[in-house]
Amino acid sequence: MAPPFTTPYWCCAYAAGAAAGTLACHYAAHEHSLTPLAASFLGDVAATVAIYGFSFAADNGCVYDAYWPIAPIPIAAYWLLSSSNRSLEAYTGLGLLATWAVRYLSIEDPSSKVANEDWRYADIRAKTGRAYWLASLFSLHLTPTATVFLAMSPLYPVISGHAGPLRIDWPYLFPVSAAISAVAIVLQTAADKQLHDFRKTAKSNAILERGVWAYSRHPNYFGEFLFWAGVCGMGLSAGVERWMAAGAAVVFAFFRFASIPLMDARMLARRPQYGATMRRVSAFVPWFRSSHEA
């Protein structure tokens, strides 16, 4: 029988993940002289695998869910502590990243998923059968970890001071990009609050089309992409490795071509009137509403 997924169990999982990540990062940096960027990625993977073990033992992939917003904070702090850079830009990037993480964690309660696993995980479980936990390791654990690391990687030259060859020499790029990330956090916060308030009072088949949800069917997804686009811009102001610039594009592709079609299909199956919403409201980028009501 799988152990119960309780808050103490979740804490043990994340303590084990932190220990595994720290040991792997230390070993990579001190025994193999890897850069802080490479060492932190190996630590990130090690922590993910450790938490995966607890997901497997609890038979609940949601054990991992809070990891991807938590992990960037110690990773970025490690980058800062491994360098002598103490610039305003470094602290601004780190502060925005921490604010983004705190915002997400403030709306996610790990204990809320004790009884019911995320419906997307349940769908994958039903499709993969006995191979579910192998699929879970790669698609539900390692893929989000790698995606978030790629998306945050442009902050490495900003925080560490180690610039790459790809740079945009425009003096206002960093403040504009930082402002974009800040606006993205505000947008996500507003979308989350409006959705939370709507769910408390709405009927079971109701559809939210008020506030920011009147202009985008998935404003939280757009805000997430916008945050990482700002991060990419901050990195380009300092100079990134070419592969780092792909992070925001990967996030965009994930939302636009995977998450949004999946969510729209589920909503349409559960609420047929959602088809009219799809014709009225932009899928991703907030935009003017269509007058098409049929």
Side-chain angles (χ1 to χ4, degrees), residues 89 92 96 170-181 233-234 237:
E89 289 80 3
T92 300
L96 285 168
W170 182 48
Y172 302 108
L173 181 57
F174 184 89
V176 168
S177 299
I180 288 173
S181 289
M234 286 186 274
S237 73

Side-chain angles (χ1 to χ4, degrees), residues 107-176:
I107 62 167
E108 281 291 318
D109 177 10
S111 64
S112 68
K113 299 180 178 180
V114 169
N116 299 308
E117 192 173 37
D118 188 290
W119 64 268
R120 287 160 290 200
Y121 297 4
D123 283 354
I124 294 174
R125 186 189 291 269
K127 292 175 182 176
T128 56
R130 297 181 66 179
Y132 169 69
W133 281 107
L134 181 61
S136 178
L137 172 61
F138 290 98
S139 64
L140 303 180
H141 289 74
L142 290 175
T143 295
T145 289
T147 300
V148 172
F149 190 91
L150 177 62
M152 71 173 291
S153 64
L155 283 178
Y156 179 70
V158 175
I159 293 173
S160 70
H162 299 299
L166 185 59
R167 182 174 182 268
I168 296 178
D169 190 15
W170 182 48
Y172 302 108
L173 181 57
F174 184 89
V176 168

Side-chain angles (χ1 to χ4, degrees), residues 9-28:
Y9 184 84
W10 183 88
C11 291
C12 288
Y14 280 69
T22 300
L23 288 173
C25 183
H26 179 82
Y27 180 78

